Amino acid sequence: MAEHCGHARYVWNLAVEQHSHWRPGRKSAPGFAEQCRQLTEARAEFAWLRSGSIVVQQQALKDFTQAMANFFGETHKRPTWRRRGQGEGFRIVAVKAGDVRRLSRNVGEIRVPKVGRVRFRWSRAIPEGVKSYRVTRDSAGRWFVAFAAIPESLPTPGTGVVVGVDRGVAVSVALSNGEMTSAPTLRETEKARLLRLVRKLARARKGSRRRGEVKAAIARLRARETDRRKDWVEKTSTGLARRFDVIGVEDLKVKNMTRSAKGTVETPGRNVRQKAGLNRGILAAGWGRLVERLEHKAPGRVVKVNPRFTSQTCNACAHIAKENRESQADFLCVACGHQANADVNAARNIRDIAAGHAVNARGGDRVAGPVKREPQHDLLLVG
Ligand SMILES: [Zn+2]
């Protein structure tokens, strides 16, 4: 399976290289069909590539095509080089009946081309009629199998309640009803241990056995943190989808937010240091993943609103001013004196805009422009 990972990485990196040569005015870089043809040629020529699975190699190209589509759709960053030991994995398609079997309550089995049958821990429900699965290996060396399935949408509570969700700075998520939660991180003792390990790594000789052990221990700690975050995203998105009819979120593109801080060589970004800190927080909160899961679990009930001014507008009197934001955490309106948690105030603005969108959608007119800020009486707002 490590060999499959290596082949997938190799083919992916070739695709990255092909596309990196493209400049405006040049003929477009090869698409999926052309890349598949080239792969067939390469396999005919090189025995080591031919010895691998064509399904694995073609799917790496398919994944790359999808990654480029996501990039042009502005939802993801441009696909980059894959390195050994980071995000390793491959996808299996053309799954036949019997390729996925349950052996007992806790044990299942999948078929992996050129490898045979591989057992896995049956830790959650697997959907009927699986068409593909992805095998991955995390940096801690654990192997996983994931079955492509969009989670079933959750039932609408039917109460007409609209909630605004803001990704906070101090907290990961603030709701318009005042609830605030943060994605879990490592515990203090774990953080201290991580710090000790990082120092140890700096002292360890390159290529030594000890260095390898320290590296693995660091990877295990980081994997633990990632697991907790993913779990938090699932629970939070399920809770929101179950409790609220309409969920307003900022239409922020993680990519744009994370890119702006650095600026360019000609116009270096201002406040680079503060922004870098903020960006880390945003990424750590797994915001993009949360919105994605919300859209799966509450399809058609997630309203993405333009985040412009949502953090500077007073929710009580609609006065907009930069000075309204006293600090990262506090909001104090310079016009009416309204005081609130800054993230909650922003969440309420998001809720009001989302409620406006929902009413307009119900009335049959799709209004894309500025939205009325008056409260909408036929929808119950939270907070
Ligand atoms: Zn005000």
Side-chain angles (χ1 to χ4, degrees), residues 314-319 333-338:
C314 171
N315 189 254
C317 74
H319 180 72
C333 179
V334 292
C336 78
H338 174 66

Side-chain angles (χ1 to χ4, degrees), residues 89-325:
F90 56 90
R91 183 199 294 281
I92 307 294
V93 293
V95 177
K96 292 186 291 291
D99 281 358
V100 182
R101 287 197 309 200
R102 189 163 197 163
L103 300 180
S104 70
R105 210 168 82 83
N106 298 320
V107 181
E109 205 178 53
I110 50 163
R111 201 186 60 80
V112 178
K114 308 253 175 191
V115 172
R117 300 204 151 265
V118 180
R119 288 185 177 190
F120 65 94
R121 204 180 299 158
W122 197 289
S123 53
R124 64 202 315 181
I126 294 171
E128 292 286 313
V130 166
K131 294 210 169 55
S132 76
Y133 37 88
R134 178 183 289 279
V135 176
T136 54
R137 183 175 182 271
D138 74 2
S139 51
R142 302 177 301 177
W143 289 94
F144 295 93
V145 58
F147 299 89
I150 288 177
E152 268 181 57
S153 60
L154 297 170
T156 311
T159 50
V161 176
V162 184
V163 72
V165 184
D166 182 42
R167 60 164 139 190
V169 179
V171 291
S172 302
V173 157
L175 304 188
S176 49
N177 65 2
E179 284 175 38
M180 288 181 271
T181 55
S182 277
T185 55
L186 289 176
R187 282 188 265 277
E188 287 310 312
T189 49
E190 291 167 331
K191 277 184 195 157
R193 178 150 180 266
L194 183 62
L195 198 65
R196 276 201 304 279
L197 286 167
V198 168
R199 286 201 194 113
K200 221 180 196 176
L201 185 70
R203 288 196 302 267
R205 208 161 15 88
K206 277 224 164 114
S208 68
R209 220 187 87 185
R210 201 171 79 112
R211 191 181 167 86
E213 283 166 7
V214 174
K215 253 188 162 168
I218 290 174
R220 276 197 299 275
L221 265 179
R222 293 241 156 95
R224 197 180 290 174
E225 189 178 23
T226 307
D227 290 351
R228 279 181 204 156
R229 290 243 165 89
K230 282 186 180 165
D231 186 51
W232 176 83
V233 163
E234 293 306 328
K235 283 185 180 142
T236 307
S237 54
T238 298
L240 288 168
R242 277 193 196 287
R243 288 165 61 204
F244 305 106
D245 268 4
V246 178
I247 303 149
V249 295
E250 294 170 290
D251 189 7
L252 275 186
K253 307 223 157 116
V254 174
K255 184 197 79 177
N256 295 340
M257 284 289 288
T258 51
R259 187 191 274 168
S260 57
K262 233 192 257 167
T264 58
V265 181
E266 295 83 48
T267 51
R270 272 177 292 169
N271 307 327
V272 169
R273 186 164 284 273
Q274 286 111 298
K275 279 190 193 159
L278 176 66
N279 289 343
R280 262 200 305 279
I282 290 162
L283 291 177
W287 179 260
R289 195 182 167 87
L290 180 67
V291 172
E292 189 187 82
R293 299 304 268 175
L294 269 177
E295 287 184 310
H296 287 155
K297 293 175 184 177
R301 299 196 278 129
V302 179
V303 180
K304 288 183 171 175
V305 307
N306 186 343
R308 220 164 155 226
F309 304 126
T310 51
S311 63
Q312 296 171 13
T313 305
C314 171
N315 189 254
C317 74
H319 180 72
I320 303 174
K322 233 186 255 159
E323 298 74 36
N324 279 347
R325 192 124 187 189

